[in-house]
Amino acid sequence: MMTERNDQIRGGAPSNSNGTSMGPGREMPHNLEAEQGLLGAIMVNNRAYDPVSDFLRPEHFADPVNGRIFEMCAKAIERGQTANPVTLKRTFDQDEALKDTGGAAYLVRLAAAVVTLTNAADYGREIRDCYIRRQIILAGQSMAATASDTWWKARRGNDIEEMDADKLLAHATQYLDEIQAHGITKGEYVSAVSGVDVAMERAETIWREGAEAAGASTGITDLDRRIGGLMPGRFYILGGRPAMGKTALALRIARNLARQGKTVGIVSREMPADELGARLLAMESGITQERQEAGDLEQSDFDKLVAARMDIAGWPLHIDCRSTTVPEIRRRAVRLRRKHGLSLLVIDYLQLLRGVGASVENRVQEISQISMALKALATDLEIPVLALSQLSRAVEQRDDKRPRLADLRESGSLEQDADVVMFAYRAEYYLAKEEPMQRSNETSASFVTRQGAWSDQIEANRNLMDIIIDKHRSRGTSTVRLYSNLAVGVIDNGIRGFV
């Protein structure tokens, strides 16, 4: 009888994680009738498997036998075979773990007990819901035991290392992240017209509101016009040599979005949160970071810093200086999105991240792994990811210092994975290093002429930054020329136009 099987499960206390017992008088969350109803429905009509195939797994079942049967059905159906009591009988009879259910007769009883096929999806969601609840309970018990046991044993002289609070918190977070992953439903095939509808909606928005309205606005109009804003699910790379203003531009974009009330996450491996904070203060107050750190301030300057701090406090801008791998970035980004939403994730910078499992001797392979993982992160969380990237020293060895795709450091698949690749370039920086000196055989007049030409070039490029868009999956390449004052982190249209 089916009820005998249910009583057997409810009455026992299995040792595996699917067990339904919490101790005397209490049971783990479970619904054996839903499990049996779903299995019966699948064996009567294999189409009942379709609505649950995307999210339900064998380990989600409270009764391990039911989970094993679900796995058998899934394998048969996904091979294009029929799953019913007759086709599964041989496998069932040969499985030692299934003999205590009464043999293949249990399959027949499951199929015979089905009343309706329409509840398959509801049964599946109920099974997964109970599983997640059980995992939360088990995680809580484990966390409580670990926190208590290591503390007591360490103080009683046992040869055991006490876990500090940060390690305990990291373990707890990992537990919950793993459980949360079971709540994410993977995507299925969608009809072509659904994609067309999204494209139509975007086209209408652009038509009515302007080209820069396609994605989240960077706050820099000319840049928005060229790249269409920052689109959800897209992976952007901003490359440049040191001192080109990559971080300043990324921070300016993050600040512009945050001022619109959009949540931005910044993963910074290059500089600590206090240095980023000093840059933000400079942007808002006009008081350079150099003056802040030198104490070269008047009362009016300090008042500006206080006012800037109050403005920044209201922004949904969050900084992560601890993540070193993409899985760590993903976990923290998922939590940030769950709590506050997430409109943009900035990585500063890509080459400072570490791969997981990749050989450190093969840096190109490691960077390729990181690049693919960041693209997947953008797609899965449906957010734009802007990753800063260093360029190789080959740029410095050329007469033309303007960067190109081949200059992406340890590029691997960077240019392949990215939807948009941009480079920050400031001619003023390189010109300043090339101040002419009078040659031994050069007349004074000739030297003055050369020096004047150099001064004219410096002046023509003063406070200018070119954003070279060298790859865009859906638009052409171009260059945007912007005004830049890196001392206070101001980068804006100022000088309008395209090169």
Side-chain angles (χ1 to χ4, degrees):
M1 296 291 291
M2 203 81 74
T3 54
E4 293 175 354
R5 174 67 187 161
N6 294 357
D7 291 342
Q8 178 185 1
I9 297 297
R10 292 191 180 101
S15 59
N16 61 56
S17 61
N18 285 347
T20 59
S21 175
M22 290 180 64
R26 301 199 64 183
E27 294 178 333
M28 282 282 207
H30 65 283
N31 190 329
L32 299 179
E33 287 78 9
E35 294 182 7
Q36 293 164 346
L38 175 62
L39 294 175
I42 290 173
M43 286 188 286
V44 169
N45 186 338
N46 287 176
R47 290 185 178 180
Y49 172 73
D50 293 342
V52 301
S53 62
D54 197 50
F55 64 85
L56 198 62
R57 300 289 177 266
E59 62 268 23
H60 295 172
F61 287 73
D63 183 348
V65 171
N66 290 339
R68 180 75 180 92
I69 296 170
F70 178 79
E71 183 179 23
M72 291 161 54
C73 290
K75 286 181 177 179
I77 294 169
E78 290 172 3
R79 285 196 300 260
Q81 301 171 352
T82 301
N84 60 35
V86 176
T87 60
L88 298 178
K89 182 178 184 301
R90 177 178 297 180
T91 304
F92 203 86
D93 287 340
Q94 293 174 350
D95 195 323
E96 292 292 329
L98 304 178
K99 285 188 176 179
D100 64 348
T101 65
Y106 182 55
L107 298 177
V108 177
R109 291 200 299 272
L110 287 174
V114 172
V115 177
T116 177
L117 300 177
T118 60
N119 294 333
D122 292 335
Y123 285 156
R125 284 189 286 270
E126 171 69 11
I127 293 166
R128 190 187 62 169
D129 181 82
C130 289
Y131 168 80
I132 293 174
R133 291 175 185 275
R134 292 196 301 275
Q135 294 306 301
I136 292 172
I137 293 168
L138 291 170
Q141 293 171 342
S142 176
M143 288 185 283
T146 301
S148 176
D149 290 352
T150 59
W151 188 81
W152 277 107
K153 289 177 180 177
R155 277 154 181 74
R156 291 176 178 175
N158 293 43
D159 187 18
I160 185 172
E161 180 183 355
E162 179 187 352
M163 272 194 192
D164 62 32
D166 286 338
K167 286 184 179 179
L168 287 169
L169 188 59
H171 277 281
T173 300
Q174 183 177 357
Y175 270 127
L176 296 176
D177 284 342
E178 290 172 356
I179 295 170
Q180 197 267 348
H182 283 277
I184 299 176
T185 302
K186 303 296 183 183
E188 299 177 339
Y189 277 103
V190 296
S191 67
V193 74
S194 64
V196 170
D197 288 343
V198 173
M200 280 287 294
E201 183 178 351
R202 182 168 64 241
E204 182 181 4
T205 300
I206 296 170
W207 173 51
R208 295 187 183 281
E209 301 180 23
E212 64 273 17
S217 172
T218 64
I220 303 172
T221 307
D222 286 348
L223 184 59
D224 284 343
R225 286 175 175 170
R226 279 304 191 238
I227 67 173
L230 299 171
M231 303 288 288
R234 291 191 180 174
F235 178 36
Y236 299 80
I237 288 180
L238 173 61
R241 289 293 294 160
M244 290 296 106
K246 298 187 302 296
T247 299
L249 177 59
L251 197 59
R252 188 73 178 182
I253 292 172
R255 168 258 196 193
N256 291 345
L257 262 72
R259 290 186 68 182
Q260 300 169 37
K262 296 179 179 178
T263 302
V264 179
I266 300 176
V267 179
S268 177
R269 296 301 304 162
E270 186 176 31
M271 59 185 66
D274 62 322
E275 187 169 348
L276 289 174
R279 288 192 171 207
L280 288 169
L281 282 173
M283 281 185 194
E284 293 308 297
S285 67
I287 310 298
T288 66
Q289 187 176 351
E290 182 180 2
R291 289 183 60 200
Q292 293 176 41
E293 294 175 353
D296 180 21
L297 302 174
E298 302 290 341
Q299 181 61 49
S300 60
D301 296 326
F302 192 76
D303 291 343
K304 290 178 182 177
L305 290 174
V306 171
R309 189 268 174 201
M310 293 179 65
D311 288 341
I312 295 168
W315 301 348
L317 186 60
H318 304 265
I319 298 172
D320 170 15
C321 292
R322 300 182 64 183
S323 294
T324 59
T325 66
V326 178
E328 290 174 337
I329 292 171
R330 175 185 284 267
R331 286 197 295 270
R332 292 186 170 113
V334 167
R335 289 199 297 274
L336 180 60
R337 187 182 66 162
R338 189 167 59 238
K339 290 180 180 178
H340 306 289
L342 188 58
S343 296
L344 172 66
L345 186 65
V346 177
I347 314 292
D348 186 14
Y349 59 88
L350 191 146
Q351 281 82 8
L352 291 178
L353 299 180
R354 292 187 293 103
V356 178
S359 170
V360 294
E361 289 80 13
N362 189 339
R363 184 58 176 164
V364 172
Q365 178 186 350
E366 188 177 23
I367 291 295
S368 296
Q369 179 198 75
I370 292 168
S371 171
M372 289 186 287
L374 288 175
K375 171 58 181 173
L377 173 62
T379 303
D380 294 345
L381 298 189
E382 297 182 332
I383 59 170
V385 172
L386 173 61
L388 277 56
S389 175
Q390 283 287 16
L391 302 184
S392 70
R393 290 187 176 90
V395 176
E396 312 295 336
Q397 299 164 7
R398 297 196 304 260
D399 290 337
D400 180 8
K401 302 296 194 291
R402 296 175 72 84
R404 56 188 73 147
L405 285 175
D407 295 325
L408 283 170
R409 185 174 165 190
E410 299 154 335
S411 60
S413 62
L414 282 181
E415 65 269 28
Q416 298 174 33
D417 296 327
D419 297 286
V420 178
V421 178
M422 304 177 286
F423 297 111
Y425 171 73
R426 294 192 306 118
E428 179 187 8
Y429 172 82
Y430 290 108
L431 287 169
K433 297 168 68 175
E434 297 172 358
E435 182 176 0
M437 302 293 291
Q438 187 169 5
R439 299 164 186 154
S440 58
N441 60 347
E442 185 179 26
T443 66
S444 295
S446 175
F447 170 64
V448 169
T449 299
R450 282 199 308 115
Q451 191 176 47
W454 170 81
S455 296
D456 289 344
Q457 280 188 295
I458 285 280
E459 198 57 39
N461 288 278
R462 191 172 302 283
N463 290 335
L464 292 183
M465 174 188 287
D466 286 349
I467 306 301
I468 303 166
I469 303 166
D470 212 2
K471 176 190 175 181
H472 197 302
R473 288 198 194 278
S474 57
R475 301 186 181 209
T477 60
S478 61
T479 298
V480 182
R481 180 156 289 174
L482 305 174
Y483 167 82
S484 67
N485 182 347
L486 298 188
V488 290
V490 173
I491 301 173
D492 213 335
N493 289 323
I495 307 297
R496 295 179 60 85
F498 309 113
V499 182

